[in-house]
């Protein structure tokens, strides 16, 4: 089973709201990722957690706050977002962070910021 | 830096036509190479991968061979179906000492007509 699940599937929020995106995998993977994807563009890496520690932050604004409560779960906390943050947010996981290891993606959360 | 270049799209083909999507890369080292597919409204799915030179990845009738001499990983399928209509991303992953990021090409949209 190579399934990564994400909730919610869709999210609409105002610029003053606080919301969270959730990602879960039960493959025993130790690396987890958040990506942002705008329409007709490739995914852009935001954060990487390796063995539950934040290993990469691609200079993401602080209104996005990742959290990895355990090796199966990854959250992305959202606060005071801007309309330009509207996008598809994808979670992915891989066995580790070696180059030959495949990243498996979830279906994404489609976020609209009003 | 590392980069992936995909041919310009979109590509429109008739059902049962032969498909080639070009992908070339630039990398300081020996990356692993991947093709991901994204169907409308969905996340990314791994289509196939190759982790060393001359490896051939294959899945669902699609094939790609890792060519180190031409730094290429072109995607081919002998007979496309309407259900193959999607966006295709070529990607590389290279360990840089701290972690291994996935670098995507721009993606190409394939439409297959009945």
């Amino acid at each position: 089973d190579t399934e990564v699940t994400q909730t919610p599937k869709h999210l609409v929020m105002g610029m003053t709201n606080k919301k969270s995106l959730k990602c879960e995998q039960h493959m025993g993977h130790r690396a987890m990722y958040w990506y942002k994807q705008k329409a007709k563009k490739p995914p852009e890496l935001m954060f990487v957690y390796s063995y539950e520690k934040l290993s990469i932050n691609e200079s993401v604004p602080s209104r996005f706050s990742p959290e990895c409560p355990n090796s199966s779960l990854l959250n992305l906390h959202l606060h005071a977002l801007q309309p330009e943050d509207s996008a598809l947010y994808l979670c992915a996981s891989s066995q580790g962070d070696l180059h030959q290891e495949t990243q498996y993606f979830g279906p994404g959360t489609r976020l609209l910021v009003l | 830096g590392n980069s992936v270049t995909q041919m310009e799209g979109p590509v429109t083909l008739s059902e049962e036509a032969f498909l080639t999507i070009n992908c070339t890369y630039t990398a300081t080292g020996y990356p692993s190479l991947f093709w991901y597919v994204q169907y409308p409204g969905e996340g990314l799915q791994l289509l196939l991968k190759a982790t060393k030179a001359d490896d051939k990845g294959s899945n669902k009738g699609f094939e790609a061979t890792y060519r180190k001499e031409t730094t290429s990983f072109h995607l081919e399928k002998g007979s496309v179906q309407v259900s193959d209509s999607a966006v295709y991303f070529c990607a590389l992953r290279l360990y840089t000492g701290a972690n291994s990021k996935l670098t995507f090409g721009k993606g190409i949209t394939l439409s297959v007509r009945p």
Side-chain angles (χ1 to χ4, degrees):
Chain A
D1 184 14
T2 55
E3 190 177 26
V4 176
T5 58
Q6 289 187 245
T7 54
K9 197 174 170 82
H10 300 276
L11 179 62
V12 180
M13 60 187 290
M15 289 189 282
T16 58
N17 292 158
K18 283 185 182 181
K19 296 285 185 184
S20 297
L21 309 185
K22 181 178 169 183
C23 172
E24 197 162 3
Q25 57 87 13
H26 295 288
M27 296 178 277
H29 289 177
R30 303 313 299 265
M32 295 185 77
Y33 312 79
W34 281 115
Y35 288 86
K36 173 183 177 181
Q37 187 182 25
K38 300 285 265 185
K40 300 190 186 299
K41 298 287 186 184
E44 298 171 19
L45 183 66
M46 300 174 72
F47 302 103
V48 180
Y49 273 83
S50 181
Y51 293 83
E52 299 163 49
K53 287 189 169 51
L54 183 66
S55 63
I56 297 179
N57 176 342
E58 291 285 274
S59 303
V60 178
S62 59
R63 57 186 185 268
F64 295 91
S65 175
E67 179 197 18
C68 188
N70 60 57
S71 58
S72 301
L73 274 177
L74 186 65
N75 298 321
L76 186 63
H77 302 298
L78 314 172
H79 174 54
L81 293 193
Q82 304 297 309
E84 59 265 30
D85 296 322
S86 299
L88 181 68
Y89 288 84
L90 294 164
C91 175
S93 71
S94 62
Q95 184 67 36
D97 59 5
L98 297 179
H99 69 89
Q100 64 267 39
E101 291 165 346
T102 301
Q103 288 188 25
Y104 295 95
F105 285 80
T109 293
R110 196 162 296 279
L111 173 67
L112 178 61
V113 182
L114 299 176
Chain B
N2 303 323
S3 66
V4 175
T5 302
Q6 292 185 234
M7 60 185 276
E8 293 289 325
V11 172
T12 302
L13 295 173
S14 297
E15 204 164 25
E16 298 183 5
F18 184 84
L19 170 71
T20 299
I21 301 178
N22 289 344
C23 171
T24 57
Y25 68 89
T26 302
T28 52
Y30 302 103
S32 292
L33 302 173
F34 303 83
W35 276 102
Y36 282 90
V37 59
Q38 188 171 30
Y39 298 102
E42 297 185 12
L44 274 70
Q45 297 178 25
L46 176 71
L47 184 56
L48 51 84
K49 75 177 194 182
T51 58
K52 61 183 188 298
D54 300 325
D55 267 2
K56 178 188 279 189
S58 61
N59 185 27
K60 299 182 183 178
F62 291 90
E63 290 184 343
T65 301
Y66 189 139
R67 301 281 187 207
K68 186 177 152 202
E69 62 277 12
T70 54
T71 61
S72 64
F73 193 53
H74 304 320
L75 183 68
E76 295 183 336
K77 187 176 185 184
S79 175
V80 293
Q81 306 299 312
V82 172
S83 57
D84 294 326
S85 299
V87 180
Y88 292 80
F89 292 100
C90 184
L92 70 82
R93 194 173 187 196
L94 186 65
Y95 192 74
T96 58
N99 47 63
S100 52
K101 297 183 189 180
L102 199 57
T103 300
F104 288 95
K106 289 186 177 179
I108 188 168
T109 300
L110 170 66
S111 297
V112 180
R113 297 182 300 231

